[in-house]
Amino acid sequence: MNTETTTGESEQPIRVLLAKPTHDVHDRGVRLVARRFRDYGFEVVFTNFLLAHEIVDTAIEEDVDVIGVSISAGGQIPIFEDLFAGLKEHDLEDITVIGGGVIPYDDEETLKAMGVKAIFGPGTSAEEARDMIERELNNEAEA
Amino acid sequence: MRKRTRGADYYRQHLLAGERVALARAITAVENDSADARAVFKVINGQVGRAHVIGFTGAPGAGKSSLVNSFTHEMRKRNNSVGVIAVDPSSPFTGGAILGDRIRMSDHGGDDGVFVRSLASRGHLGGLSRATARVVDIMDAAGKDVIIVETVGTGQSEVEIMEIAQTVVVVCAPGLGDEIQAVKAGILEIANILVVNKFDLPHAERTARHLKDAVELGPQRDWPVPIMNTIATDGEGIAELADMMDRHYQSIDQSERENAAVRRMRKLVATAAARQLNAWLDRPGADALDALCEAVLRGEMEMEEAGAKALDLAANRSGGADRP
Ligand SMILES: Nc1nc2c(ncn2[C@@H]2O[C@H](COP(=O)(O)OP(=O)(O)OP(=O)(O)O)[C@@H](O)[C@H]2O)c(=O)[nH]1
Ligand SMILES: [Mg+2]
């Protein structure tokens, strides 16, 4: 099992929140990613959301290291805007935020400029996401 | 860096005030046994024992999370703050987990009076995780009036919830063959309240009747186990369930209520001792233990006797090889 931890102390599985909009029925992709992440030894909190502040609230309560938001029905820019505002308000900017689902290419740059660390669209593998997450969290632990 | 050490002063100031971020961090510290865990224990010491702790257990898909959701709603109407702990299994192969109970508990977004935390069982058997009892204490110290624990829900008798919760609700649903399974698995014995959820489905009445028969055939108890009918998804029967919880809580001996925290701690200490004992006995090069095992295999000693001798070995920390 994965013993890489953020402090290098006792064993601390990486906790990831995977959130998809409640009205988004195309959640097969997210479910698949959740399974893969579990296989990598992550603890994956799976949830629906209506509003960005619900993602923030959940991230706080679950004390996650990573938030993954899946969006396939559009509206990504305002959701991520609200999400980052909420994280900032609670001093939680050290949480790694990633995106997934179907996000138009043009929006990718905008989202990355906002602080989204990576976007995993169709065709990208969960493995890439894992490597990116582990790299990101290790950097943080050393910083 | 995220998981930095914060120290007792931080928790005294923020956790005891019930602040969400501090509560979440305290839980993580204790779950991971990190440097802050002791600070958290120190701070909550003496602040525990007020909450009514309620366990929900039962077969997969019986509707535990949905019930917790609607029950939480009812508790909020009655002006109780609520902490929810939802335990899901960790994969024994990878250690990872999918914590999905929240999907059915999303009615409480934006309500500061509700705090939901998902825990992975992390290899602990018995329906909970090793830290669950302490997480209950932390929520208690943070001022939650009602603390609800949803067990992993294998449908087996997850007896540990009895040690932690004052009121244990066993959730059944029609069509799962639950009533017979439940009797076989000994799950009825741990129930203070039985719920037949999904009462909108066919055969619900029959399930309730079977359960009633099973309960009546069981041992007589001071608290006769009631059977409640609910439809978690539209809130039916939930107010009645809440009333029954109250009645059960009132029926518990006052001294027993006050001793709950000590009882939980005793269980934890016993578990810690058992874990260490196991590790010590099972360490490589434990010649004396090997000798005991061989004696049992040769038929020269009974298992129980060998077990007692192994305990003696551990008590004297003898038996070859180094100390742990
Ligand atoms: N018809 C009907 N369906 C219900 C009722 N309560 C829950 N369900 C449905 O039953 C399914 C399982 O519900 P959950 O609340 O997730 O059950 P659970 O016992 O927590 O499941 P696990 O945590 O996976 O063991 C969901 O699809 C719910 O919508 C009910 O009263 N009636
Ligand atoms: Mg559940």
Side-chain angles (χ1 to χ4, degrees):
Chain A
M1 99 174 249
N2 183 349
T3 52
E4 293 288 318
T5 67
T6 46
T7 62
E9 266 180 2
S10 49
E11 203 162 285
Q12 302 185 0
I14 293 171
R15 282 173 75 86
V16 183
L17 171 63
L18 286 184
K20 69 163 193 73
T22 305
H23 55 79
D24 189 346
V25 288
H26 306 285
D27 65 352
R28 217 177 140 262
V30 208
R31 283 175 192 280
L32 200 70
V33 172
R35 281 289 295 278
R36 290 278 175 277
F37 278 3
R38 185 194 65 171
D39 294 343
Y40 301 145
F42 295 177
E43 289 182 356
V44 186
V45 180
F46 199 68
T47 188
N48 294 325
F49 73 94
L50 285 167
L51 302 164
H53 81 79
E54 293 173 346
I55 305 180
V56 178
D57 285 352
T58 307
I60 291 174
E61 292 181 356
E62 299 290 354
D63 202 13
V64 294
D65 308 291
V66 179
I67 299 174
V69 185
S70 160
I71 291 177
S72 309
Q76 47 280 343
I77 304 271
I79 287 176
F80 279 100
E81 259 169 7
D82 292 352
L83 176 60
F84 281 108
L87 291 177
K88 187 163 183 198
E89 184 191 331
H90 292 96
D91 225 355
L92 297 170
E93 290 144 300
D94 46 3
I95 296 180
T96 301
V97 177
I98 59 178
V102 187
I103 292 176
Y105 189 76
D106 287 346
D107 285 348
E108 281 202 16
E109 289 311 309
T110 319
L111 292 177
K112 283 189 178 154
M114 267 183 218
V116 178
K117 282 281 161 19
I119 289 161
F120 300 96
T124 48
S125 71
E127 218 165 2
E128 285 172 57
R130 173 198 58 189
D131 293 346
M132 180 259 138
I133 287 168
E134 286 182 345
R135 229 175 321 142
E136 191 69 28
L137 295 182
N138 284 334
N139 283 344
E140 233 176 63
E142 275 150 31
Chain B
M1 168 173 130
R2 295 210 60 234
K3 304 273 155 85
R4 65 169 184 272
T5 306
R6 291 185 168 80
D9 286 341
Y10 169 84
Y11 291 107
R12 194 169 295 111
Q13 196 183 337
H14 300 283
L15 173 62
L16 296 184
E19 287 173 30
R20 263 180 339 148
V21 175
L23 176 50
R25 285 175 176 158
I27 294 172
T28 306
V30 167
E31 224 201 341
N32 290 340
D33 215 355
S34 71
D36 257 355
R38 267 166 194 258
V40 172
F41 293 149
K42 205 168 126 196
V43 165
I44 65 172
N45 184 29
Q47 308 289 327
V48 174
R50 276 188 42 263
H52 182 189
V53 186
I54 298 168
F56 281 81
T57 187
K64 297 179 291 297
S65 302
S66 309
L67 264 178
V68 168
N69 186 53
S70 49
F71 180 68
T72 298
H73 203 73
E74 182 65 27
M75 287 296 101
R76 295 299 294 142
K77 277 203 266 178
R78 300 179 185 204
N79 280 323
N80 290 300
S81 60
V82 180
V84 176
I85 302 165
V87 190
D88 269 322
S90 298
S91 157
F93 302 107
T94 66
I98 295 181
L99 311 173
D101 292 318
R102 276 196 98 102
I103 290 187
R104 313 256 171 248
M105 299 182 189
S106 49
D107 288 3
H108 309 287
D111 179 357
D112 249 355
V114 180
F115 185 104
V116 180
R117 179 65 173 250
S118 315
L119 299 179
S121 65
R122 296 195 179 175
H124 189 81
L125 302 175
L128 301 173
S129 75
R130 187 154 63 87
T132 304
R134 288 331 301 273
V135 176
V136 169
D137 288 343
I138 294 170
M139 287 190 173
D140 192 341
K144 298 297 171 218
D145 300 316
V146 174
I147 299 168
I148 303 172
V149 181
E150 177 182 340
T151 75
V152 166
T154 52
Q156 307 295 311
S157 69
E158 297 180 333
V159 284
E160 256 180 28
I161 189 65
M162 286 173 72
E163 326 264 357
I164 289 183
Q166 289 133 352
T167 307
V168 175
V169 180
V170 173
V171 184
C172 303
L176 295 175
D178 264 9
E179 55 274 25
I180 302 124
Q181 285 304 328
V183 176
K184 269 202 277 187
I187 207 170
L188 296 184
E189 276 87 334
I190 70 170
N192 301 117
I193 298 173
L194 275 168
V195 167
V196 180
N197 185 42
K198 306 196 187 185
F199 218 75
D200 51 321
L201 295 189
H203 308 308
E205 306 264 3
R206 200 176 61 193
T207 302
R209 215 163 42 240
H210 285 175
L211 281 173
K212 185 159 173 284
D213 291 345
V215 168
E216 279 166 4
L217 286 172
Q220 289 278 330
R221 289 190 280 182
D222 295 345
W223 168 264
V225 177
I227 298 171
M228 314 287 298
N229 307 327
T230 62
I231 304 173
T233 37
D234 67 10
E236 227 179 281
I238 303 301
E240 291 80 356
L241 178 61
D243 290 342
M244 190 55 83
M245 300 265 201
D246 254 354
R247 267 178 50 198
H248 180 254
Y249 191 61
Q250 298 311 325
S251 81
I252 307 169
D253 214 282
Q254 179 67 27
S255 62
E256 202 179 312
R257 257 187 266 165
E258 280 160 9
N259 282 333
V262 176
R263 213 179 50 233
R264 295 203 290 263
M265 184 46 67
R266 180 185 294 197
K267 172 74 188 167
L268 288 175
V269 171
T271 309
R275 199 175 52 246
Q276 289 176 40
L277 178 64
N278 242 321
W280 190 80
L281 286 174
D282 219 12
R283 76 199 187 285
D287 299 341
L289 183 67
D290 287 343
L292 284 176
C293 296
E294 279 156 23
V296 178
L297 281 172
R298 281 196 304 268
E300 293 164 7
M301 200 187 281
E302 296 293 329
M303 188 90 80
E304 282 301 309
E305 189 188 350
K309 288 213 154 77
L311 255 181
D312 286 343
L313 286 178
N316 302 317
R317 286 285 208 275
S318 59
D322 353 310
R323 282 147 186 272

